[in-house]
């Protein structure tokens, strides 16, 4: 059908309701979660095989069974960047699925939950594998639809429904904008294949309609990537969703929007590069400030983490706007680090919320005594995300700033440094509240988190320390992925000259 | 109708946007199919309503198989979404 | 055959009307209709380009994109209406300006 990893995810997504129906008769609800995690493990195994193939061939092209006619056949074009991002998705998906076996045990509708989680990972994988704009749109819709239902999953609470509706309206408007931009590109060139578009639009002199299409693409993908004028769905959606879903959304789905945006800008709009570089850098600075300033005012734990996601998306988009090999590699490495750190923080927050039934920071004071291991992992995650030296956040943020300075964007780099300093304020507030203050009535009465929820948390915390201590292989991998993204000539040749 | 402030602001913005766009389209013609590669011509179908359906289906099945299979999965996921949201909560009181 | 610019203008005007509908209508079901209008703008644009590629012929690529995209729009609408049903159950009104409990 498609490639093995994507096939596995889709087949397991269809198998989950079958398992759920059998389980319903017998009564072992945890088997569904174990089945979904097994699916992700099998997909990771196949992805390893695919990555071997990509590292020898450069680009793997998957077309339909009949002879492929480049300008209008659908295709999947897999390069190092796609494999890199899919590895992140599957690993974070695995951790959140294992965590939700225990976390979601009291909810109903678990069959649909695991189906939708697998569907979301499959959609994100397809989005980075796509070689044709409409194929990307199909998998983008898969990713979006599953995330709408996952945000509104706890439908008996008003908060989930309000957040879900707001998110759906804004995100579907973004998808419609992408479709309109796609139609203009089709009108200009007669094709929707990325390689053919890159080839045909490479040397256009300034064309007014190309700039309109560029604006539509930035708005459409920017709504999903939480760029500042279009970020308003994010805090509500991330606080109202169940915590494993928040970890997935915040850690991997929001950066997917940015990745696809930069992919399309590099490939299709390379002739308008100075224009989109400056635009993206300006939006990135607004995003950083918006996220950090709003996070200072929050009293709700998950809402604060959601605004922190917006700020980090600002850093990532700034790294992408630099568009040099160092900048892209820095942003990709920061996506990996942010995924690890932010999902760690959201999973710990989920453990706190499950045990204490409250999200208010003022009531969660001093919870260290009651939940020691979770608080320790939470502290490690907070120190890492604030960017302190021995942990992983420091390396990627410094790489982005150095790449910015080297590319002559000194004012933007200085603003990013200011934002990092600003963010330390609320991260330290989190640490002070969780660790140092005296426990309130609520936090004294809680019990420790169950062991099967602690395992993903501790593994992620260990990864933070491990990546921070020895970042070199990860920086190498991100550099290779960035090189593959910038290597447009190889990408075009793989399709148009036949591999 | 009851025009309140937001609706008035919205209508003004829409009319301004349409005017600006009209000035833009009169000035800059759309470069329709300007960047087509003459070596890779598309497979065209005659504009005849009796055969268009069949020919477009044939095109879809020949060239766009990946999209069609992925669309089947999207429809399945949409059904799963609606089932997730329309489920019945058991009352465990 | 009238010129292609009229169809493009129609598509963009539909898009602007769809955005207006999303921004200023109060009824939640009207917002869902606004989403449909937005998507239909892109559909009009695709079909127009597909017909103007060469006189007397059409390009099936544009038509195939529209066929598949209509079903996606249908899925999103179905999901949106389910959420609107629950919103009505919680808030007892279809006015989207009353959904303001989540602030800041």
């Amino acid at each position: 059908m498609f490639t093995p990893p994507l096939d596995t995810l889709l087949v397991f997504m269809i198998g989950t309701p079958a398992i759920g129906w059998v389980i319903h008769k017998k009564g072992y609800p945890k088997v569904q979660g174990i089945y979904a995690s097994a699916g992700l493990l099998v997909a990771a195994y196949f992805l390893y095989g695919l990555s071997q193939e990509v590292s020898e061939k450069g680009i793997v092209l998957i077309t339909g069974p009949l002879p492929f006619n480049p300008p209008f056949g659908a295709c999947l074009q897999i390069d190092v960047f796609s494999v890199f991002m899919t590895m992140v998705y599957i690993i974070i998906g695995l951790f959140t699925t294992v965590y939700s076996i225990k976390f979601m045990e009291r909810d109903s509708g678990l069959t649909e939950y695991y189906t939708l989680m697998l569907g979301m990972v499959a959609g994100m994988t397809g989005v980075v594998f796509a070689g044709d704009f409409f194929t990307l749109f199909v998998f983008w819709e898969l990713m979006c639809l599953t995330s709408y239902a996952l945000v509104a999953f706890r439908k008996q609470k008003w908060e989930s429904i309000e957040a879900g509706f707001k998110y759906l309206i804004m995100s579907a408007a973004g998808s419609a904008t992408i479709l309109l931009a796609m139609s203009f590109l089709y009108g200009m060139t007669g094709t929707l294949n990325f390689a053919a578009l890159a080839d045909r639009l490479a040397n256009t002199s300034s064309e007014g309609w190309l700039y309109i299409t560029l604006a539509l693409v930035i708005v459409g993908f920017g709504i999903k990537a939480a760029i500042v004028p279009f970020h308003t769905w994010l805090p509500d959606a991330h606080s109202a969703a169940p915590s494993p879903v928040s970890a997935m959304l915040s850690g991997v789905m929001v950066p997917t929007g940015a990745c696809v945006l930069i992919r399309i800008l590099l490939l299709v709009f390379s002739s308008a590069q100075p224009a989109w570089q400056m635009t993206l850098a300006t939006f990135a600075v607004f995003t950083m400030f918006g996220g950090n300033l709003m996070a200072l005012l929050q009293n709700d734990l998950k809402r604060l983490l959601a605004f922190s996601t917006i700020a980090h998306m600002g850093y990532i988009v700034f790294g992408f706007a630099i568009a040099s090999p160092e900048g892209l590699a820095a942003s990709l490495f920061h996506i990996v680090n942010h995924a690890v750190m932010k999902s760690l923080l959201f999973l710990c927050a989920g453990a706190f919320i499950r045990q204490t039934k409250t999200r208010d920071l003022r009531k969660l004071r001093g919870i260290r005594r009651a939940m020691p291991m979770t608080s320790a992992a939470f502290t490690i995650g907070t120190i890492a995300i604030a960017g302190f030296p021995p942990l992983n956040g420091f390396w990627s943020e410094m790489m982005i700033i150095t790449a910015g300075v080297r590319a002559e964007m000194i004012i933007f780099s200085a603003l990013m440094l200011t934002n990092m300093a600003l963010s330390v304020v609320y991260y330290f507030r989190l640490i002070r509240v969780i660790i140092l203050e005296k426990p309130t009535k609520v936090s004294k009465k809680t019990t420790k988190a169950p062991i099967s929820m602690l395992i993903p948390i501790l593994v992620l915390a260990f990864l933070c320390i491990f990546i921070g201590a020895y970042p070199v292989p990860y920086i190498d991998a991100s550099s290779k992925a960035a090189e593959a993204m910038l290597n447009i000539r190889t990408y075009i040749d793989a399709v148009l000259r036949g591999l | 109708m009851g025009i309140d402030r937001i609706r008035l602001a919205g209508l003004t913005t829409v009319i301004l946007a349409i005017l600006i766009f009209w000035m833009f389209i009169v000035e800059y013609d759309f470069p329709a199919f300007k960047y087509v590669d003459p070596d890779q011509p598309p497979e065209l179908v005659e504009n005849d309503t009796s055969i268009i359906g069949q020919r477009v289906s044939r095109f879809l099945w020949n060239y766009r198989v990946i999209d069609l299979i992925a669309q089947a999965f999207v429809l399945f996921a949409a059904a799963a979404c609606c089932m997730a949201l329309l489920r019945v909560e058991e009352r465990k009181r | 055959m009238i010129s292609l610019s009229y169809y493009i203008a129609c598509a963009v005007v539909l898009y602007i009307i769809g955005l207006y509908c999303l921004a200023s209508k109060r009824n939640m079901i009207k917002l869902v209709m606004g989403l449909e209008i937005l998507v239909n703008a892109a559909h009009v644009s695709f079909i127009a380009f597909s017909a103007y590629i060469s006189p007397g012929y059409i390009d099936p690529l544009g038509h195939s994109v529209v066929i598949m995209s209509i079903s996606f729009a249908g899925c999103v609408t179905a999901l949106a209406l389910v959420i609107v049903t629950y919103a009505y159950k919680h808030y007892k009104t279809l006015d989207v300006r009353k959904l303001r409990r989540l602030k800041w």
Side-chain angles (χ1 to χ4, degrees), chain B residues 14 33 43 45 47 60 71 85, chain C residues 20 49 56 58 60 64 71 86:
Chain B
V14 166
F33 299 108
E43 288 193 3
V45 170
N47 198 349
L60 267 177
Q71 182 185 32
L85 286 182
Chain C
Y20 164 71
F49 286 128
I58 61 153
S64 49
S71 72
Y86 279 110

Side-chain angles (χ1 to χ4, degrees), chain B residues 49-64:
Chain B
T49 36
S50 54
I51 59 157
I52 280 188
Q54 195 192 21
R55 293 286 168 83
V56 172
S57 304
R58 199 194 297 175
F59 175 87
L60 267 177
W61 280 108
N62 284 349
Y63 294 107
R64 289 257 145 200

Side-chain angles (χ1 to χ4, degrees), chain A residues 1-2 10 13-14 17 62-67 69-76 106 108-109 112 115-116 132 134-135 138-139 142 145-146 149 152-156 184 186-190 192 199-201 204 207-209 212 496, chain B residues 21 24-44 58-90 92:
Chain A
M1 213 172 25
F2 313 127
L10 289 170
M13 171 172 92
I14 295 207
I62 311 273
T63 63
L66 291 165
N69 209 334
F72 42 86
C75 67
L76 297 177
R106 293 187 208 134
S108 60
E112 289 92 9
T115 311
L116 294 173
D132 184 273
F134 192 65
T135 312
V138 171
F139 284 108
L142 177 60
L145 273 175
T146 48
F153 194 71
R154 290 191 170 151
K155 58 183 169 59
Q156 61 273 25
F184 286 158
Y186 169 65
M188 282 195 264
T189 59
L192 282 177
D199 197 26
R200 296 179 188 188
L201 287 175
T204 65
E207 183 83 61
W209 281 95
I212 289 194
L496 297 183
Chain B
F21 172 68
F24 183 82
I25 199 173
V26 166
E27 176 81 26
Y28 294 99
D29 226 0
F30 191 87
F33 299 108
K34 186 169 157 190
Y35 301 102
V36 175
D37 190 346
D39 297 331
Q40 295 167 337
E43 288 193 3
L44 298 175
R58 199 194 297 175
F59 175 87
L60 267 177
W61 280 108
N62 284 349
Y63 294 107
R64 289 257 145 200
V65 178
I66 295 182
D67 293 345
L68 283 176
I69 299 180
Q71 182 185 32
F73 286 111
V74 173
L75 288 175
F76 172 80
C81 290
C82 290
M83 278 179 60
L85 286 182
L86 288 170
R87 66 185 188 263
V88 179
E89 303 272 335
E90 295 105 28
K92 291 182 185 164

Side-chain angles (χ1 to χ4, degrees), chain A residues 136-150:
Chain A
L136 188 142
F137 186 75
V138 171
F139 284 108
W140 180 266
E141 284 292 313
L142 177 60
M143 177 180 96
C144 289
L145 273 175
T146 48
S147 65
Y148 301 152
L150 282 175

